[in-house]
Amino acid sequence: MRPEMLNPLFAATDGLKGVGPGLARPLEKLGLTRVRDLAYHLPERFVQRRAIASLDVASVGEQVVVALTPREYRSAAGRGPFRIMAEDDLGDYVSLTYFGRNGGWAKKQLPLGERRWVAGRLDQFGQTLQMVHPDHVSEEGGAALSTLCEPVYALSEGLTQGRLQALVAQALEHLADLPEWIEPGLLAKMGWPTWREAIALAHKGEHALARDRLAYDELLANSLALMLVRTANRARIGTPLHGDGHLRALLNLPFALTGAQLRSIREIEDDMQQGAPMLRLLQGDVGSGKTAVALHAMLAAVEAGAQAAMLAPTEILARQHYETLTRMAKGTGVEIALLTGRDKGRARESILMGLLDGSIQICVGTHAIFQDAVAYRNLALVVIDEQHRFGVGQRLLLTQKGRRTPHCLAMTATPIPRTLTLAQYGEMDVSRLDEMPPGRQAIDTRVVALDRLADVVEGVGRHLAKGGQAYWVCPMVRELESEDIAAAEARFAALTARFGDDVVLVHGQLRPEAKDAAMERFASGIAKVLVATTVIEVGVDVPNATLMVIEQAERFGLAQLHQLRGRVGRGSEASTCLLLRGDALSETGRERLALMRETQDGFLLAEEDLRLRGGGELLGTRQSGETPFRVADFEQIARLLPLAHDDARLLIERDGGLDSPRGEAARLLLYLFERDWGVQLLRGG
């Protein structure tokens, strides 16, 4: 139960002064439904204005404070803007322009013939200087306005900067003095303010140390919660599994295992032989052989007289795993079943009986394999594929189906930088498949200018004529009026006009059944071109698809580009990936695309992606295996997470855990950042 002293922070924002139904909706769009959310809605940037004596010394685009005298009101017909023509002390004119409101409010602030100090951004409309919606109007105090460092917040439609600033100010009044949870020596060394001071400062111009402090708090809360999970897991009683190898000896794989696979198998076997349940993450690039490692682990469980279950996030991926495992395990005599939400009637009942009596030894499926109606005779190993789709809470729920806590092996095909691995999977031990199987062909990666689009479409036509299939990936579902971004729906229409029914479309806004049907047509070879957003980033395995086109590739992060490229090169045929780039290419975007040409090492690309993002690049902000942080940015994660991890370990191992005075403060921190599942685990431990 949340500590009482935090209740004011978790009060609903609709209880604040001035928040009615009309304002509640735009706040909800931004996720600002509680006072705490407003307090942590930190400014994107700050505006510092220059006081000027006259308009002729200012530059267009500059933030200024200038003394003006309104001379004329101009009302446009219909819904046009209301303008006030005002002159400076030298007689030069500027148009003060107001959209979307009548002129009454503006006239009250700026009466004709009365000198006022006006603050805002100076722009140009035609031949006229213009200031749209001045930020401040004051009868005197131009110098004060020029020293004001004003925060600029992310907004949604229906919300203005002024209104949001006023709400944040109200939220800050609800802040209490919370006890300190950071280790005193570290706090002094870093020179950080208290928690309350840090939030107040972060909303002002003096924000660098304050924002670091707040980012550190979030990283500490996460590290501490994950360590509590790890501690609680080690206290649980698992089932030691000692497989004798007789089933694995019957495997007749068409390839030799790599050194990385053999090392990972040994690490997993060692964990499974312990009394505490295994919690291990298996990281491997696309095509590095994670499924073969998982099969070895599951067969070891079966050899020890237990059952294993493999969870996939989608039905398509579950079916692919079922077919791959069945093919690999042929000759071992192990009974493998597929269970999804689509299974009904007698077929489903037969599978449920087989799991209950133990005749089905390995079950593969979606979340259906963990429904209440599904019972196992002796489930001792759970394998979770595409781990980043599931949160810590879900990971824990999935391990409650056995008589004792089953061993858990999580897998991800998304290479993650070591720092982010610690951030997301700090409760787990990690195995890395950092070798590719011999004989795997490199994917020919080329960067092509978007103005050669017609040539690329013709190239796709030649590829299809030879019997091949192709992916075409776009950054968005549909285009925004304000941005020229390639959209899947528009590209689907254009390619359908060229190739007819050979083209199918998949994106995240489609109904699941429509998405599955399109994927099925492509996987079966009926459709030849799959137009998609990044929904195909993982879990699609079509060996005949050997061409990948990624439109406006500069808008994607390196890790994401690498995952998309990994959809091809899955068969014996040579594969090609075309990265179509736009004209407005930043230096970071250019470096990113060059790296994609030069290397296919997913772990190297993941580290480089973090480095490039740390430099402030905003395009392609989604990191595959997205970080669970709202305050800490990528640069802060890389710099501060090791400190937070060490501090959390110090608290648990030396400073008395959550029962010590600092631990009591740390409990507040866990609730503040909604990592309180760590506290619940400790209680239920």
Side-chain angles (χ1 to χ4, degrees), residues 363-538:
C363 181
V364 182
T366 56
H367 269 104
I369 67 176
F370 290 104
Q371 290 173 347
D372 290 342
V374 182
Y376 296 80
R377 182 173 180 272
N378 183 18
L379 179 64
L381 173 65
V382 174
V383 179
I384 307 174
D385 193 27
E386 294 312 334
Q387 173 57 48
H388 67 273
R389 303 283 189 91
F390 306 99
V392 178
Q394 288 172 297
R395 296 206 274 271
L396 298 169
L397 284 173
L398 298 178
T399 59
Q400 293 175 5
K401 274 289 181 180
R403 287 178 292 184
R404 293 180 175 178
T405 302
H407 298 282
C408 179
L409 175 65
M411 303 195 301
T412 177
T414 306
I416 305 171
R418 291 184 187 276
T419 305
L420 295 189
T421 303
L422 188 64
Q424 291 172 271
Y425 306 112
E427 86 279 24
M428 293 185 163
D429 296 305
V430 179
S431 293
R432 275 189 163 204
L433 297 180
D434 48 12
E435 289 178 63
M436 296 300 282
R440 186 171 170 85
Q441 295 189 56
I443 299 165
D444 182 13
T445 304
R446 308 175 195 174
V447 179
V448 181
L450 201 53
D451 57 17
R452 292 183 55 199
L453 184 62
D455 294 339
V456 172
V457 173
E458 289 308 308
V460 170
R462 292 191 296 273
H463 180 75
L464 302 188
K466 295 177 184 175
Q469 290 173 271
Y471 298 96
W472 193 299
V473 177
C474 300
M476 300 185 70
V477 175
R478 57 185 65 88
E479 290 174 4
L480 297 176
E481 289 181 14
S482 58
E483 296 190 66
D484 180 22
I485 299 178
E489 289 180 343
R491 185 59 58 217
F492 170 68
L495 292 177
T496 299
R498 172 72 171 77
F499 301 116
D501 291 340
D502 280 345
V503 187
V504 290
L505 172 67
V506 169
H507 57 71
Q509 295 177 23
L510 286 176
R511 296 191 316 276
E513 54 270 27
K515 190 162 50 178
D516 286 351
M519 292 293 299
E520 201 64 54
R521 277 174 55 80
F522 186 68
S524 65
I526 297 171
K528 305 301 182 187
V529 180
L530 176 63
V531 179
T533 56
T534 55
V535 71
I536 64 156
E537 186 180 339
V538 293

Side-chain angles (χ1 to χ4, degrees), residues 73 75 82 84 98 101-111:
Y73 298 144
S75 298
F82 176 74
I84 300 176
Y98 294 85
R101 32 167 96 135
N102 62 38
W105 181 84
K107 289 176 182 177
K108 187 176 179 181
Q109 279 205 315
L110 292 152

